[in-house]
Amino acid sequence: MPNSNVEASEKPALPTYLVDGPKCDEEAIATFLFTHGAGAGMDHEFMTEIAQGIAAHSIRVIRFNFPYMVKRQEDGKKRPPDRQPKLLLDLQHHIDQFADGKLVIGGKSMGGRMASLIVSDVANESPGVENCTAKVQGVACLGFPFHPPGKPENFRGEHLKVATLPTLILQGERDTFGTRPEVEGWQYADSVSVTFLPDGDHSLKPRKKSGHTEQENREKTVEYLVDFIKESVGAV
């Protein structure tokens, strides 16, 4: 039976994917499936700049919109994100499209969290979804939403304690979804590494008075991601 997401995405008005870097997987040293956050889609300027920065290193970067964002762009009506099972099912479809033995997945905030969940046993709890660890070589999360702002007791990173794939978390030091002191106080599997962006907020943006700039943090983000992706697929 055809996947409904495929049918919806085949409408000519909107592209299914935005692709940066080598168009052919044989020419790319790796593929990075880059998912958006809750409030902005695949064509947001942050997503675009990071994707293009990574792509400059012979890495194919694939962006797509989750179903609720596809609908938002079709009719202009703001919608909340789909529930977790639907997000994971859609992400699994895209993983299946690009799993080639050198696939790294990740994303901004919610997208990064979904990427980390789909390679955990949590994925098996959603109808039609399975743990995709065997199809993926690594996971990269930008601004991981460890908890809702102001509610650190609502921890959303339990699965990171037993993560088996190489996982990189890039976190702003001031991120209200998980500040540096909070993040450093939690435990993770040995496969998980956390790198902090100086004075960054949830968008990795520092304050002017910090002496750091948003552009510097974005450039560091690209650098960290490129190194991680290459290492994950054995291209170093």
Side-chain angles (χ1 to χ4, degrees), residues 155-190:
F155 185 60
R156 296 172 175 170
E158 287 293 334
H159 61 291
L160 297 175
K161 296 179 180 179
V162 293
T164 58
L165 281 180
T167 301
L168 173 65
I169 297 175
L170 298 178
Q171 197 80 356
E173 290 182 327
R174 297 183 298 111
D175 193 332
T176 55
F177 289 80
T179 64
R180 181 166 188 163
E182 291 172 341
V183 173
E184 290 182 331
W186 292 316
Q187 294 183 337
Y188 315 95
D190 291 341

Side-chain angles (χ1 to χ4, degrees), residues 70-194:
V70 172
K71 292 180 180 178
R72 179 189 295 189
Q73 294 197 346
E74 286 176 343
D75 60 19
K77 296 180 181 179
K78 286 192 175 183
R79 292 176 170 81
D82 299 307
R83 296 181 67 84
Q84 180 171 304
K86 187 171 183 178
L87 293 173
L88 291 176
L89 184 63
D90 189 62
L91 177 56
Q92 179 176 261
H93 162 70
H94 299 295
I95 289 173
D96 288 340
Q97 294 291 311
F98 297 104
D100 57 2
K102 51 184 181 180
L103 175 65
V104 175
I105 64 174
K108 179 68 179 74
S109 192
M110 177 198 76
R113 181 168 175 263
M114 291 303 111
S116 69
L117 285 172
I118 205 162
V119 294
S120 75
D121 287 338
V122 175
N124 298 325
E125 300 172 6
S126 296
V129 182
E130 62 181 11
N131 186 328
C132 291
T133 297
K135 304 172 184 177
V136 175
Q137 280 61 59
V139 179
C141 308
L142 287 66
F144 193 94
F146 285 99
H147 61 74
K151 297 181 179 180
E153 67 276 8
N154 294 349
F155 185 60
R156 296 172 175 170
E158 287 293 334
H159 61 291
L160 297 175
K161 296 179 180 179
V162 293
T164 58
L165 281 180
T167 301
L168 173 65
I169 297 175
L170 298 178
Q171 197 80 356
E173 290 182 327
R174 297 183 298 111
D175 193 332
T176 55
F177 289 80
T179 64
R180 181 166 188 163
E182 291 172 341
V183 173
E184 290 182 331
W186 292 316
Q187 294 183 337
Y188 315 95
D190 291 341
S191 60
V192 178
S193 60
V194 182

Side-chain angles (χ1 to χ4, degrees), residues 219-231:
E219 290 174 358
K220 288 179 180 178
T221 295
V222 170
E223 179 183 345
Y224 293 140
L225 287 171
V226 168
D227 288 346
F228 174 75
I229 293 168
K230 288 182 176 179
E231 183 176 354

Side-chain angles (χ1 to χ4, degrees), residues 77 199 233:
K77 296 180 181 179
D199 202 58
V233 302

Side-chain angles (χ1 to χ4, degrees), residues 6-37:
V6 176
E7 292 176 349
S9 66
E10 287 177 348
K11 295 180 180 179
L14 292 170
T16 304
Y17 297 109
L18 290 178
V19 182
D20 293 285
K23 304 304 179 184
C24 175
D25 61 344
E26 295 180 356
E27 299 173 356
I29 62 174
T31 296
F32 182 48
L33 188 60
F34 191 21
T35 60
H36 63 77

